[in-house]
Amino acid sequence: MAMTLIHSIPAIRATLVAGLLMLATILISYLLFLEEGRTPAFLPTISTVIHPPSLLKSFRGCQTWDYVPANYLSRWSVSFSCFVLQLMAVVSYCATRDRFKHSQLLLGMAVVGLLCLSVVGAACSSTKLPSCRGAGKVHDVAAVTFFVLYDLYLIISIKQLGASPVPALALAGAACAAKIRWLPSGYLGTSFPVVPVFEWADVGVIVIAQLVLALHIAQPYCVSIADVAEPGKPRGSETTSITASFPANKITVATVSLMFGCSVITYPFALHQGIIEPGFPYVISDTWWHAPGDIIARWGVTFSTHLLQILLLMLDHATRRRAHNWLWLAQLGTFGMSVVAVVSEVEQPILHVVCALTWGVGVDIYMLCLLYTSDAADEEDSVDLGGRRIIKKKKKKTKRVSR
């Protein structure tokens, strides 16, 4: 099918970016934890999940994602990594749907598991720490669901890659062994740091298995933004095979629904908690101060900004790059909005306000540049997002009168 590529990234590279970002977040959080002098006897936990009561006392205050600034970093990076890995799960599904049994079920397990991981990043475990303002039960349920579903997804996928069951059995054994940390406290001693060791091991197993799966499946594939030609009307010279596609209109609906939906949902909670007064006007981000409004914003608004970055690239192409020199401002503003969602005004007022201004000014300037250049382009043909010509210069016809 003929198409014009707007932007493309190899699937294996995208997987590496997501994996390395997660590993970097974990390691940076650990180093910050050491720097602040919160060091436990051996290792801190990454993020507390259903620790036995006897062990929880030993590791209280030892979660690296509960404190500034690691909490902000984890909220954003976990959301972005899950977004990328969900795209990679779609790539794996498209590459193996003819070979793998129950490929749709595997895709569902991966997407739901990663969705739960993004909730883990948004809802940290402590409900008392001002730097966390989380929801312990939501965090724990989401984390357990992620580990169970994503481990099963990786084990079954690796099993179906080849005839030998050894790699899948080794992965299953390692994943099950790492779940020892969830056993009742009577089965575990407190002298050895079981919880952090096996939590770090579980994360390591998932990262390695994900890379193995990507190397065997996703290597020939790319994730691309493209302008696909209508039948019989090629727009570009590049020809490739499309295994899955998401139209711009559906991405737009998803982005708008997430961003404005979160703003609407958080309003009654903030009203009930007395954070805002009844009626209008009110500052939307004020409804993101306390749970559950802060958790909803950290998850939904941040996810919608990742989609918006893709839409900006589509818009730049659809408008014939008329305001391309100002596209970076809109992208910077969109990133600023994602920071607004993960850092509330109560936590870091200066950073929150600066990023909010970046969002408003950056996107507004880009849109004004689009309007200004579109007026200048009215003398020529213009295109909409679907590529159809919608503005055409009318030629006046003059009649010659012969005597």
Side-chain angles (χ1 to χ4, degrees), residues 168-251:
L169 289 174
L171 175 60
C176 290
K179 305 301 184 292
I180 288 176
R181 67 188 190 278
W182 295 345
L183 290 176
S185 57
Y187 293 91
L188 300 170
T190 57
S191 59
F192 181 76
V194 176
V195 173
V197 168
F198 283 101
E199 184 185 32
W200 284 71
D202 206 356
V203 172
V205 166
I206 289 176
V207 170
I208 293 171
Q210 178 66 63
L211 291 176
V212 170
L213 188 65
L215 286 171
H216 283 82
I217 293 177
Q219 202 161 9
Y221 292 84
C222 288
V223 177
S224 304
I225 303 173
D227 181 9
V228 181
E230 296 178 2
K233 297 180 180 180
R235 299 193 192 110
S237 58
E238 300 181 54
T239 303
T240 187
S241 174
I242 299 176
T243 55
S245 63
F246 300 95
N249 57 348
K250 291 186 178 180
I251 298 176

Side-chain angles (χ1 to χ4, degrees), residues 9-23 77-93 106-115 117-118 146 150 153-154 203 206-215 218 223 246 303 306:
I9 181 172
I12 185 65
R13 187 182 300 173
T15 305
L16 285 172
V17 168
L20 291 175
L21 180 60
M22 282 295 299
L23 289 177
S77 61
V78 170
S79 173
F80 181 77
S81 297
C82 290
F83 174 74
V84 174
L85 289 176
Q86 283 176 325
L87 291 177
M88 296 307 102
V90 175
V91 171
S92 297
Y93 164 74
L106 287 175
L107 175 62
M109 290 167 62
V111 171
V112 173
L114 290 167
L115 183 67
L117 179 58
S118 66
F146 161 72
Y150 210 69
Y153 162 72
L154 292 172
V203 172
I206 289 176
V207 170
I208 293 171
Q210 178 66 63
L211 291 176
V212 170
L213 188 65
L215 286 171
V223 177
F246 300 95
F303 200 89
H306 305 326

Side-chain angles (χ1 to χ4, degrees), residues 257-279:
S257 299
L258 268 176
M259 187 167 290
F260 287 97
C262 289
S263 302
V264 171
I265 292 171
T266 56
Y267 175 75
F269 291 111
L271 195 63
H272 176 72
Q273 293 166 343
I275 299 172
I276 58 175
E277 297 295 330

